[in-house]
Amino acid sequence: MLSRVFGFSRRPFDSLSEQEILALAISSEEDDGRIYRAYAAGLRDSFPQSAKVFDDMADEEDRHRTALIEAHRRRFGDTIPLIRREHVRGYYERKPDWLVRPLGIEKVRAAAEDMEEQAHRFYMEAAKRTTDASTRKLLGDLAAAEQGHQSLARQLGLTHTPESVKDDERQTERRQRILTYIQPGLAGLMDGSVSTLAPIFAAAFATQDTWQTFLVGLSASVGAGISMGFTEAAHDDGKLSGRGSPVKRGLASGIMTAIGGLGHALPYLIPHFWTATTVAIAVVFVELWAIAFIQNRYMDTPFLRAAFQVVLGGSLVFAAGVLIGNA
């Protein structure tokens, strides 16, 4: 286990023979081609023009791989040693597409440019270690190609994704982010912040016991979070509505619901009742205005209307809790 973590079982790059360097280059080009095709497949439904960019980049990697295989066949025969980037100490790593794709289209383009830069550095070092003239020329040509294509994603984007298309893609990505994360999270935050006001402050003024009040707030917040999370995940699978993964929406809604309630429950960990209550009321004030801001920022709700709805509703629930607690 430790040998894998610290790279003791890996070969130093300087120890590779010329045949192993060619084999490493071939496997790297194969992996990069697969990654680009995975990017294209992941983007095709929502961003078809950008998917073409990565299709073209995968074709470019295939041409590099073919040239490298021909060089290996000419010098060393048809049997290519099995050596991959994870076998070489200090060699660059690639993030799998499932780690990059959720980060958004701009992050995927940036990842592609990093891949080209890393490949350029590899070919430069590989060319220095090669004595065969034709192989060295091939590696040098590939280094130059990778250097020229460090901005290949951007250059191909000019062909397939002009600014008008990029604007559309950014709007599509923003809309999907709102539907999958922000809208369910906002609904959860509103429910958690507002619905727990009455039980928490009713318990506070009825008992004037900060620990008991905290337990009521904790149970109400966690219970509401679980309920909202399951409800959001279960009522819509996202296939027809286009709202995205029900698991992601359920987590966003459930977590934000719990946070909304815990915000004004946590102050009751303070032993002094009136100090805890003052802090809790201040937190409620911040929560309600934060909800109004998010509605205005992401849901295009006029700020004054959002503030009126949220603050008025929250104030009514807060007043109900105080009245019940003092009854």
Side-chain angles (χ1 to χ4, degrees):
M1 179 66 181
L2 289 176
S3 64
R4 293 184 62 186
V5 172
F6 293 104
F8 297 145
S9 62
R10 298 182 180 185
R11 292 271 304 278
F13 180 75
D14 290 343
S15 72
L16 300 182
S17 66
E18 292 188 24
Q19 183 183 16
E20 289 170 332
I21 288 174
L22 278 177
L24 178 59
I26 291 168
S27 66
S28 296
E29 294 289 350
E30 288 174 345
D31 288 346
D32 288 354
R34 291 192 189 97
I35 291 172
Y36 289 142
R37 287 195 170 88
Y39 288 171
L43 295 170
R44 204 174 311 282
D45 290 341
S46 300
F47 309 104
Q49 296 302 316
S50 286
K52 293 179 182 178
V53 171
F54 292 103
D55 283 331
D56 285 353
M57 295 183 75
D59 292 340
E60 180 82 4
E61 301 305 301
D62 287 345
R63 289 190 288 272
H64 291 179
R65 176 176 55 86
T66 299
L68 288 163
I69 291 175
E70 287 302 319
H72 185 280
R73 181 180 291 117
R74 177 179 53 79
R75 293 195 59 197
F76 304 108
D78 293 332
T79 303
I80 302 174
L82 179 58
I83 180 168
R84 307 180 69 85
R85 56 171 56 95
E86 59 266 25
H87 302 152
V88 180
R89 190 183 308 158
Y91 197 64
Y92 61 82
E93 297 181 353
R94 297 288 193 234
K95 289 184 179 180
D97 66 289
W98 53 269
L99 281 179
V100 179
R101 191 186 310 169
L103 297 179
I105 190 167
E106 293 300 331
K107 291 294 181 66
V108 172
R109 288 185 181 130
E113 292 183 17
D114 287 342
M115 289 170 65
E116 299 291 332
E117 166 63 22
Q118 291 169 346
H120 164 69
R121 289 199 298 267
F122 163 69
Y123 284 123
M124 289 294 293
E125 291 301 317
K128 294 176 184 178
R129 294 183 45 77
T130 305
T131 57
D132 178 74
S134 59
T135 303
R136 185 163 186 163
K137 180 180 183 303
L138 171 61
L139 295 174
D141 289 343
L142 291 176
E146 298 292 353
Q147 185 177 36
H149 293 155
Q150 286 173 19
S151 300
L152 183 58
R154 188 178 297 115
Q155 294 170 15
L156 290 173
L158 296 177
T159 300
H160 294 303
T161 55
E163 285 304 318
S164 59
V165 173
K166 289 183 179 180
D167 288 342
D168 290 341
E169 290 181 342
R170 280 192 287 267
Q171 289 300 319
T172 300
E173 187 177 32
R174 181 178 184 272
R175 178 178 179 276
Q176 191 62 58
R177 185 168 61 250
I178 289 173
L179 290 176
T180 305
Y181 297 104
I182 296 176
Q183 191 178 69
L186 178 61
L189 184 61
M190 291 176 65
D191 184 85
S193 297
V194 175
S195 68
T196 57
L197 285 175
I200 289 176
F201 285 101
F205 283 93
T207 66
Q208 296 202 1
D209 184 322
T210 58
W211 178 246
Q212 295 300 320
T213 301
F214 169 72
L215 293 179
V216 170
L218 178 63
S219 61
S221 302
V222 173
I226 294 172
S227 175
M228 284 288 288
F230 274 100
T231 300
E232 178 62 41
H235 90 279
D236 179 10
D237 63 8
K239 294 180 179 178
L240 294 179
S241 65
R243 298 181 66 224
S245 166
V247 174
K248 293 178 181 178
R249 297 194 332 267
L251 287 172
S253 179
I255 291 172
M256 293 308 294
T257 301
I259 290 174
L262 288 172
H264 42 268
L266 289 174
Y268 282 98
L269 289 172
I270 301 172
H272 188 269
F273 173 75
W274 283 109
T275 300
T277 300
T278 301
V279 173
I281 292 173
V283 170
V284 170
F285 180 83
V286 173
E287 287 175 346
L288 296 180
W289 283 102
I291 292 171
F293 171 79
I294 295 171
Q295 280 190 315
N296 173 255
R297 175 69 175 80
Y298 293 102
M299 310 304 293
D300 296 327
T301 305
F303 184 76
L304 291 179
R305 190 173 77 184
F308 177 77
Q309 292 172 343
V310 174
V311 175
L312 177 61
S315 299
L316 291 174
V317 176
F318 171 76
V322 174
L323 289 174
I324 293 171
N326 286 309

